[in-house]
Amino acid sequence: MGFLSVLSFAHKMVEERLSPGERAVDATVGTGADTLFLAKAAGPRGEVYGFDIQPEALKLAEERLRRAREDTGNSIAPSTLLLKSHAAMADELPPSWRGSVGAIMFNFGYLPSDDADKSVITLPDSSVAALGASLDLLRPGGIVTAVLYPGHPGGELEAEAAMAWASSVPQQTASAIVYRQLQRRTAPYVIALEKKKG
């Protein structure tokens, strides 16, 4: 049977916590897979924002969302995609979103597209800043997931920085977990944080 992939695990964690009609953020849009997943989970009464620094990523995501709207009769959440770094998330989201977001997903690394420049990667400083901002944006019981890729150049430093950040979050603020294949040091893995209620 096997274990869930890291992406499936992140989706499962979010699916169990994000309710229809809620707000969600895809902090690293990429090809739009997580954006679409969040838009489906939030449903037509929900709302999704997505961030990426590459125009190609937003184009791929917009096309994926357009096809899904046609296939589902527009039964997914309206989605706003911004050509901005995930580190700008707190400044770019409407003020009313602070403390009300059900889920924020990060999928670090580079854009997984054949034509993409693989040297354009997410970086430790901006990623940790975005992860920190995400906790302020979450509602109580909301979740942040981050898929980390230590196997590409620069990825190990980012993964270590994200792990150090997650480990430093006070237990009274959020619970933090890791989902990882222990025998492969460079395999992708997930960290997830659930904001404490009350």
Side-chain angles (χ1 to χ4, degrees):
M1 174 136 165
F3 292 114
L4 291 173
S5 72
V6 291
L7 296 175
S8 296
F9 181 81
H11 284 190
K12 181 174 171 45
M13 292 291 97
V14 169
E15 198 169 43
E16 291 172 353
R17 290 160 180 84
L18 184 64
S19 300
E22 284 205 286
R23 295 166 166 168
V25 176
D26 184 354
T28 51
V29 167
T31 63
D34 289 339
T35 317
L36 177 57
F37 165 76
L38 291 169
K40 285 180 176 177
R45 292 185 344 270
E47 193 174 356
V48 174
Y49 266 80
F51 295 85
D52 209 291
I53 60 166
Q54 296 186 77
E56 183 190 347
L58 299 189
K59 200 157 79 175
L60 290 167
E62 283 166 358
E63 179 59 23
R64 188 184 292 251
L65 290 166
R66 185 193 61 75
R67 284 195 312 267
R69 280 192 196 93
E70 288 173 0
D71 294 345
T72 64
N74 229 13
S75 67
I76 63 173
S79 303
T80 302
L81 303 181
L82 299 177
L83 187 65
K84 297 274 184 177
S85 168
H86 52 335
M89 194 170 33
D91 296 329
E92 295 296 330
L93 289 172
S96 63
W97 279 51
R98 189 180 180 95
S100 71
V101 177
I104 301 173
M105 299 187 78
F106 292 84
N107 197 340
F108 292 122
Y110 51 76
L111 179 61
S113 166
D114 293 338
D115 304 326
D117 180 354
K118 304 290 192 284
S119 70
V120 179
I121 60 172
T122 51
L123 299 170
D125 287 350
S126 59
S127 295
V128 169
L131 285 165
S134 66
L135 287 181
D136 289 333
L137 293 166
L138 285 184
R139 62 158 168 77
I143 188 167
V144 174
T145 64
V147 180
L148 302 163
Y149 296 89
H152 70 82
E156 189 170 358
L157 288 175
E158 181 175 56
E160 287 171 3
M163 280 287 286
W165 169 79
S167 300
S168 74
V169 172
Q171 278 187 312
Q172 61 269 29
T173 302
S175 298
I177 63 164
V178 180
Y179 181 74
R180 184 175 199 172
Q181 185 177 341
L182 296 174
Q183 298 97 329
R184 290 178 51 224
R185 192 178 63 79
T186 60
Y189 61 98
V190 179
I191 58 173
L193 290 92
E194 183 180 46
K195 190 166 182 178
K196 289 287 177 74
K197 297 178 179 178

